[in-house]
Amino acid sequence: MSADPDNPKAAVLVVEDSPTESLALRNIIRHGGYEPVVTRNAEEALKALAGRRIKLIISDINMPGMKGYEMC
């Protein structure tokens, strides 16, 4: 999805290891007019933050590996 440079969509990062939950959040975010960036764990989320302007992060707390609190 390419954003219009004159009207870019704000990006929302979703960190969720459940495929069902991440799909539901992605749909809600798109419906709200934002660009979802979905990752499966904290490590992926930290990589996704590099070079991106994220307006909001929605994170699961209990994930394998690094927990949501540690990521924050």
Side-chain angles (χ1 to χ4, degrees):
M1 174 186 300
S2 65
D4 177 356
D6 296 327
N7 188 18
K9 289 185 177 185
V12 176
L13 176 62
V14 174
V15 189
E16 175 57 66
D17 59 332
S18 164
T20 305
E21 294 295 325
S22 63
L23 179 61
L25 287 167
R26 179 191 317 237
N27 290 335
I28 291 167
I29 291 165
R30 279 193 182 138
H31 183 72
Y34 297 92
E35 176 190 352
V37 177
V38 179
T39 60
R40 295 174 295 173
N41 56 52
E43 291 82 5
E44 285 183 12
L46 293 173
K47 288 177 186 175
L49 287 169
R52 271 204 176 104
R53 296 187 64 156
I54 300 290
K55 293 290 186 178
L56 177 70
I57 299 173
I58 301 171
S59 179
D60 190 356
I61 297 302
N62 295 313
M63 297 178 286
M66 186 186 307
K67 304 297 182 203
Y69 289 127
E70 292 174 83
M71 180 191 70
C72 291

